[in-house]
Amino acid sequence: IWNAMNSFVETARAAFEYCLSNFLYDQAIFYAERLVAESENEEHAVLLALAHYRAGDTGRARHLLQGLVSQGARYLLAKCCIILGKYEEAEIALTGPQGTGAWEVPNGAAGYYLLGEVKEKRNQRDKAIECYARSLEVSPIMWGAYERLSWLTLGTSAPRCAPRTFASAYFRQPDQARSTPTHDNGRNFQPAVRSPAVARPKAWREVPDPPRKAGARDRTQRQGQYRPGEGVAVTPKASRQPQGPRSSPTSAPRREDGATLAGLLESLGAAVHALHSFDTITTLQELRTIPSHHYETGFVLDMVARCHFEATDYKKAEEAYGVCRRLEKESTRTTGLEYYSVCLWHLRKEVELGYLTHEVLQWDRLRPQTWCVVGNCFSLQKEHDTAIKFFKRAIQLDPSFTYAYTLCAHEYVANEKFDRAIAMYEHAISTDCRHYNAWFGLGNIYHRQEEYENAKYHFRKALEINPGNSVLRSYLGMVYQSLGHLDTALKEYAFALRADAQNGMALFQKACVLISLERWEEALEDLTKARKVAPKEACVYFQLGRVYWKLDRPKKAVLHYNIALDLNRDTKDHHTIRNHIEKVRITDLAEDTREDGLTIRPGAGNQPQGPQFSSFMV
């Protein structure tokens, strides 16, 4: 580096690049300043800004880039502005003054991806879709652009196509590409943007697959691959997550040989699009087609666990997350831990959740997932105010982290601070309008406040996003039940049970409607199923007691009333259950005394309605 033939600028540039490549950012800043002092030009100014950016001094980097017009300077300025939340300035840096589009978007596909992020942050979702599609058109290796395009496209009125068809439109290699991929129903499907003026790039030839190493075949054929076992049915008790259709244990053979990067991205892209559609069965089927050494990575196993989580099969979700965390290279992975901690919350595993909290606090305290884990840990211990503080810390670290708003709102609901909960749910929706959990949360609040039309609207919005969700159907049925539309309510409960036959809440609420219609035998059948799914729910035993009494089986009625009483000895419904037990005994006494010529009748109009317990509410 001290070669006498080198000029001052060459030597300082070599020192700068050495320090930057070895993460010595303070020294890189020092040498970049020497370059600027020796020869002040735009190239050296960009190097100084880059050193500050890498050192985490984003504001200083932005200041240094003001007024520079080279593509590299504009791209880096846009990155700085996005981090600082200055989205309008970022758009101007990418497209020209006042967003006129006078400048060419810098850095090709990466520039269009950044512009898509900016458009999305500014709630211009249709334009964001165009930018992401354009990014993939320029370079199909832009995986992040595909993920956002898949998610946003599903929120538009565009006709949907099969996940594999959607992925093939962007990742299929040129010699395999079809000009007009079709839907399953035969209608032509076109990507959101497919400009005829821009030819499909030869990116797959520019980015070859790495050569296979010796022993690679043994690795792809090894045994002991993760296969989730049969899950345990979980009662939707105090549920904070609407449940979807349960995942199928069916498996498909994996493609082990001849895999290319394009083929792998096509399979993963199909799985991602299916998961974004909340089609968990198709997602798992697509994931089983990829080679095992790719399957056994954190990204894929996290998707597997998320599928089981969305299907409310929390036992299998816990297994999948456990397998992911046991991989040495993934043991400190924070992505997806917010769902893992909610899974442990549902399973009431305080020890495991406490241990996970202890671990993540040691790994990284600057990730929102960390504080979601901590918040869920305190939520499980009924310390809702403390949990709210930690969820707000997650929001502070990343204001775009949608799930943190929803989890915080759940805690406000637990404290019955509905106004604050509504504000948090609305924040979540403004961040991501396809976050169906927040729509569900708003519907639940309005249902509890007996604003049934508002509740119906929000549950329907949630179902537009996730139409196969069993619990959403159940809650919509409860709204119709409250409005007196009993036949419509029965249809919704039947739909929910087709999606998940183990949905205890749907079984219970359907039985309540049948009791209202005096269809006792059908109600008894559904309550018997609900008792198997939810053996500790007192309201199930209470309604069983009512049905047995109507079917003139008083001994069984008293038995189930007493079980309900034992399960809810400290609740406000204790007195109601006692009254029903006394009523059965008085009726039996009346029947006995009639044989002696006496008549004793219970007071007219004193039959109370069955107690409604909060355990079936979110």
Side-chain angles (χ1 to χ4, degrees):
I1 196 170
W2 301 116
N3 191 330
M5 299 298 294
N6 292 340
S7 67
F8 180 95
V9 172
E10 290 174 340
T11 306
R13 179 66 178 266
F16 168 83
E17 292 177 351
Y18 177 82
C19 294
L20 196 69
S21 63
N22 286 281
F23 316 109
L24 304 173
Y25 300 130
D26 290 340
Q27 295 182 52
I29 292 172
F30 171 80
Y31 285 113
E33 287 179 342
R34 306 286 70 75
L35 285 168
V36 171
E38 180 69 19
S39 176
E40 186 172 359
N41 56 48
E42 185 163 320
E43 179 184 0
H44 292 163
V46 172
L47 293 180
L48 179 58
L50 177 62
H52 280 287
Y53 176 81
R54 293 283 184 87
D57 193 353
T58 310
R60 175 65 175 156
R62 169 179 166 268
H63 176 75
L64 291 169
L65 292 165
Q66 298 290 336
L68 305 184
V69 295
S70 67
Q71 287 207 4
R74 289 163 48 214
Y75 182 84
L76 185 56
L77 176 59
K79 287 285 292 182
C80 294
C81 292
I82 289 174
I83 293 173
L84 296 172
K86 300 180 181 295
Y87 303 119
E88 184 177 357
E89 186 178 336
E91 184 172 351
I92 292 173
L94 291 168
T95 62
Q98 304 302 320
T100 59
W103 294 342
E104 180 184 355
V105 176
N107 289 21
Y112 281 109
Y113 175 70
L114 278 192
L115 186 57
E117 280 190 317
V118 171
K119 296 290 187 182
E120 192 174 351
K121 294 294 185 182
R122 301 186 70 185
N123 291 322
Q124 300 174 7
R125 294 184 175 88
D126 290 339
K127 292 183 178 179
I129 289 173
E130 293 178 3
C131 292
Y132 290 136
R134 177 67 171 166
S135 175
L136 280 166
E137 189 173 295
V138 175
S139 175
I141 65 171
M142 294 299 294
W143 175 254
Y146 175 81
E147 287 188 302
R148 296 310 304 158
L149 176 65
S150 169
W151 180 258
L152 293 176
T153 300
L154 290 167
T156 66
S157 58
R160 297 191 179 187
C161 64
R164 176 65 66 164
T165 303
F166 185 88
S168 298
Y170 298 100
F171 293 125
R172 181 157 293 192
Q173 298 184 72
D175 58 341
Q176 298 175 316
R178 294 176 294 177
S179 59
T180 54
T182 60
H183 284 285
D184 291 342
N185 59 11
R187 291 181 295 181
N188 288 341
F189 165 75
Q190 294 288 350
V193 172
R194 186 66 65 193
S195 172
V198 180
R200 190 85 170 168
K202 300 178 181 180
W204 298 125
R205 289 195 291 272
E206 296 169 1
V207 187
D209 288 335
R212 293 175 65 87
K213 297 179 181 180
R217 179 175 299 177
D218 294 338
R219 180 176 63 176
T220 61
Q221 295 177 351
R222 64 187 171 207
Q223 302 297 318
Q225 299 164 356
Y226 168 68
R227 286 289 186 273
E230 291 298 325
V232 179
V234 180
T235 305
K237 179 177 181 179
S239 175
R240 51 170 55 187
Q241 169 73 19
Q243 76 183 40
R246 294 190 178 271
S247 53
S248 170
T250 59
S251 60
R254 295 194 182 176
R255 183 174 60 250
E256 298 288 349
D257 54 346
T260 63
L261 179 59
L264 179 64
L265 290 181
E266 183 181 344
S267 296
L268 289 175
V272 165
H273 194 65
L275 182 58
H276 288 171
S277 304
F278 300 99
D279 184 355
T280 57
I281 295 175
T282 301
T283 303
L284 292 175
Q285 289 173 344
E286 291 288 352
L287 289 176
R288 292 189 182 101
T289 66
I290 68 175
S292 59
H293 56 284
H294 286 287
Y295 187 93
E296 296 168 3
T297 58
F299 178 82
V300 176
L301 289 177
D302 182 73
M303 286 184 65
V304 172
R306 178 74 183 277
C307 286
H308 297 309
F309 177 85
E310 291 293 347
T312 65
D313 202 342
Y314 300 118
K315 195 69 177 177
K316 292 174 77 172
E318 183 195 15
E319 291 176 9
Y321 281 122
V323 170
C324 181
R325 295 187 66 239
R326 282 196 293 273
L327 296 176
E328 182 178 357
K329 59 184 177 181
E330 302 292 348
S331 59
T332 57
R333 179 186 178 91
T334 58
T335 304
L337 287 185
E338 68 274 23
Y339 296 105
Y340 183 31
S341 60
V342 172
C343 176
L344 295 175
W345 185 96
H346 280 291
L347 296 175
R348 300 293 187 266
K349 294 198 171 183
E350 294 187 17
V351 175
E352 290 82 352
L353 186 51
Y355 181 71
L356 179 64
T357 299
H358 175 73
E359 282 191 317
V360 296
L361 286 173
Q362 293 180 328
W363 299 340
D364 191 349
R365 293 181 176 229
L366 297 179
R367 297 294 299 273
Q369 294 90 341
T370 297
W371 299 105
C372 286
V373 172
V374 179
N376 283 321
C377 181
F378 281 94
S379 174
L380 185 56
Q381 298 170 16
K382 307 297 183 184
E383 297 183 29
H384 302 297
D385 291 331
T386 306
I388 288 170
K389 293 179 182 178
F390 290 121
F391 290 133
K392 286 186 175 180
R393 173 58 176 159
I395 294 169
Q396 183 184 29
L397 288 171
D398 185 358
S400 64
F401 196 73
T402 310
Y403 203 25
Y405 292 100
T406 300
L407 293 173
C408 189
H410 289 331
E411 300 306 309
Y412 280 127
V413 171
N415 282 341
E416 297 189 351
K417 296 179 180 179
F418 298 124
D419 291 342
R420 295 184 181 181
I422 289 173
M424 278 294 176
Y425 285 133
E426 289 175 345
H427 271 300
I429 292 171
S430 67
T431 305
D432 183 0
C433 64
R434 292 198 69 235
H435 187 60
Y436 76 92
N437 311 73
W439 290 106
F440 167 80
L442 286 171
N444 180 47
I445 289 177
Y446 290 126
H447 181 253
R448 292 179 65 168
Q449 294 177 338
E450 299 184 0
E451 297 182 30
Y452 299 123
E453 290 298 333
N454 270 341
K456 182 171 68 173
Y457 169 79
H458 287 89
F459 286 141
R460 282 180 169 176
K461 291 291 289 185
L463 281 166
E464 288 177 9
I465 301 167
N466 190 354
N469 192 287
S470 179
V471 162
L472 288 177
R473 290 287 178 183
S474 300
Y475 273 83
L476 184 58
M478 290 165 63
V479 170
Y480 283 122
Q481 183 178 347
S482 300
L483 291 171
H485 304 158
L486 300 185
D487 291 337
T488 307
L490 284 176
K491 291 179 182 177
E492 294 295 338
Y493 293 139
F495 193 103
L497 291 169
R498 284 197 297 272
D500 180 13
Q502 299 298 312
N503 186 340
M505 180 170 56
L507 289 167
F508 173 77
Q509 295 296 341
K510 181 185 175 186
C512 290
V513 175
L514 294 172
I515 289 172
S516 300
L517 298 173
E518 298 186 356
R519 292 158 62 174
W520 310 113
E521 293 292 347
E522 295 175 63
L524 178 61
E525 181 181 352
D526 285 328
L527 286 171
T528 302
K529 294 177 182 177
R531 180 179 59 189
K532 294 178 181 178
V533 175
K536 294 184 179 181
E537 293 292 348
C539 50
V540 174
Y541 292 96
F542 178 84
Q543 296 298 341
L544 276 169
R546 290 187 64 197
V547 171
Y548 279 124
W549 185 50
K550 290 294 184 180
L551 292 174
D552 198 21
R553 298 164 71 177
K555 290 184 178 179
K556 286 218 167 190
V558 171
L559 172 65
H560 286 85
Y561 282 143
N562 281 321
I563 295 175
L565 195 65
D566 291 339
L567 291 172
N568 281 273
R569 186 173 296 277
D570 297 327
T571 69
K572 61 183 179 181
D573 300 299
H574 179 85
H575 182 67
T576 303
I577 300 172
R578 279 286 185 192
N579 285 343
H580 277 70
I581 294 174
E582 291 301 321
K583 184 186 298 184
V584 175
R585 290 174 177 171
I586 291 173
T587 304
D588 289 343
L589 178 61
E591 292 176 355
D592 292 339
T593 55
R594 284 194 191 101
E595 299 177 0
D596 299 327
L598 300 175
T599 301
I600 301 176
R601 296 181 180 180
N606 288 335
Q607 180 178 350
Q609 296 297 319
Q612 296 297 316
F613 299 108
S614 60
S615 56
F616 282 96
M617 304 295 289
V618 173

